[in-house]
Amino acid sequence: MTGLQIKTIQGVDIPSLGFGTFELKGPEGEAAIRTAIELGYRQIDTAIRYGNEVEVGNAIRESGVARGELFVTTKIWFNDLDPETVAARVDESLERLGFDYVDLLLVHWPTKDVPLGETLGAFAQAKAKGKTRLIGVSNFTVALLDEALDVHKAELFCNQVEYHPFLSQEKLLERMRRADILLNAYQPIARGKVFSSKLLTELGAKYGKSAGQIALRWHVQQDHVGAIPRSAKAENIKSNMDIFDFELSLEDMAAIHALARGERYSRFEWEPDWD
């Protein structure tokens, strides 16, 4: 069972459950991030747009956990994706974090304003210079992945997208599995909506877990899928991690998949044409 705590993608190990830090700012945000690390989270997800890279860096140092034991991700916003700006933003992020490198650098959202090949080339340069171990994308569709992989030959480790029981990512997952790319799910408990699901609540009773824990377990049991839930509350941070002592049956996994009804909660004017 413990093997599910780690996903191995392209020969690289990453914790299957990470800690999202969106909106976790200031002393309270820093305390929540530190609590997550103290409770065992070893994958920490941030972004320039979140405005909390300083807090993430401070929390990691104050936790006493060695930097090399943590997998840290940050992201560059879509209006900063020209090569010169990418290089500057990477250096600024590392300065705020207080690190020599991040483990994963992501394109936060795709843009039509800069040729994708130029952006990916700049990300590859950051990797070549040792400023990030790996590169990837977020909110990319199958078509955008095809361009990145087939046209630009990008070595992508991850595509971070919205994924939960009410939103199928079957087409995207099929493409990513063929390329050995991790789907890291944000909003994995659907902004709390999983708790109002009759099925997930019933499965929680069956396994002695909450509906949220059932949803997170459903994620990590899937091939090439991880999840990065966020919470500011210590009890929820702990609860989200408590999913590795049971296993959903194949029948129950299928029943959860059947909940998908195309509900997408992150909608923006700049989003791509979703699959």
Side-chain angles (χ1 to χ4, degrees), residues 83 114-123 147 152:
V114 180
L116 181 56
E118 292 184 12
T119 297
L120 294 173
F123 273 57
E147 180 183 350
H152 305 298

Side-chain angles (χ1 to χ4, degrees), residues 39-53:
L39 288 171
Y41 288 82
R42 292 296 179 263
Q43 181 199 157
I44 308 296
D45 179 86
T46 185
I48 294 172
R49 187 73 170 184
Y50 299 170
N52 66 358
E53 289 174 315

Side-chain angles (χ1 to χ4, degrees), residues 139-262:
N139 300 299
F140 267 44
T141 61
V142 171
L144 285 166
L145 281 180
D146 284 344
E147 180 183 350
L149 298 170
D150 300 336
V151 177
H152 305 298
K153 309 302 180 184
E155 297 179 353
L156 303 181
F157 178 82
C158 169
N159 183 18
Q160 189 181 114
V161 296
E162 180 179 346
Y163 185 37
H164 46 71
F166 311 128
L167 177 67
S168 174
Q169 292 287 13
E170 184 178 358
K171 290 176 64 176
L172 189 63
L173 259 174
E174 191 278 330
R175 179 66 180 96
M176 292 172 64
R177 285 169 176 150
R178 282 195 286 120
D180 195 15
I181 294 173
L182 175 72
L183 188 156
N184 222 7
Y186 67 78
Q187 295 183 354
I189 58 173
R191 295 185 178 176
K193 291 181 173 59
V194 297
F195 293 100
S196 59
S197 165
K198 184 174 183 289
L199 173 68
L200 294 173
T201 301
E202 289 176 347
L203 289 177
K206 174 181 175 180
Y207 290 97
K209 297 291 179 177
S210 72
Q213 290 169 321
I214 295 296
L216 292 173
R217 179 69 196 192
W218 171 78
H219 282 87
V220 302
Q221 270 190 221
Q222 295 180 62
D223 184 30
H224 283 78
V225 176
I228 45 172
R230 65 158 297 281
S231 179
K233 297 180 180 179
E235 60 268 29
N236 293 339
I237 295 170
K238 185 178 187 299
S239 175
N240 288 344
M241 178 64 84
D242 188 21
I243 62 169
F244 296 104
D245 60 350
F246 75 107
E247 184 172 0
L248 294 167
S249 69
L250 293 177
E251 181 181 46
D252 290 337
M253 288 288 290
I256 298 171
H257 278 292
L259 292 174
R261 48 184 183 251

Side-chain angles (χ1 to χ4, degrees), residues 24-176:
L24 297 181
K25 297 182 182 181
E28 290 184 356
E30 188 173 309
I33 298 164
R34 188 172 62 250
T35 294
I37 298 169
E38 292 169 352
L39 288 171
Y41 288 82
R42 292 296 179 263
Q43 181 199 157
I44 308 296
D45 179 86
T46 185
I48 294 172
R49 187 73 170 184
Y50 299 170
N52 66 358
E53 289 174 315
V54 170
E55 286 91 330
V56 168
N58 287 342
I60 288 172
R61 281 183 291 277
E62 292 168 6
S63 74
V65 175
R67 169 68 185 91
E69 294 181 24
L70 292 155
F71 191 106
V72 180
T73 299
T74 196
K75 317 178 196 73
I76 297 179
W77 196 243
F78 67 80
N79 56 3
D80 286 336
L81 294 177
D82 63 279
E84 185 175 337
T85 306
V86 165
R89 295 293 175 268
V90 170
D91 288 342
E92 292 162 4
S93 281
L94 293 178
E95 183 175 354
R96 284 189 293 268
L97 288 161
F99 299 159
D100 295 326
Y101 70 97
V102 290
D103 296 277
L104 179 60
L105 181 69
L106 300 181
V107 175
H108 203 153
W109 284 88
T111 181
K112 296 179 180 178
D113 295 336
V114 180
L116 181 56
E118 292 184 12
T119 297
L120 294 173
F123 273 57
Q125 278 294 309
K127 181 180 177 182
K129 292 178 179 179
K131 296 179 180 183
T132 182
R133 291 174 56 218
L134 303 158
I135 64 171
V137 294
S138 185
N139 300 299
F140 267 44
T141 61
V142 171
L144 285 166
L145 281 180
D146 284 344
E147 180 183 350
L149 298 170
D150 300 336
V151 177
H152 305 298
K153 309 302 180 184
E155 297 179 353
L156 303 181
F157 178 82
C158 169
N159 183 18
Q160 189 181 114
V161 296
E162 180 179 346
Y163 185 37
H164 46 71
F166 311 128
L167 177 67
S168 174
Q169 292 287 13
E170 184 178 358
K171 290 176 64 176
L172 189 63
L173 259 174
E174 191 278 330
R175 179 66 180 96
M176 292 172 64

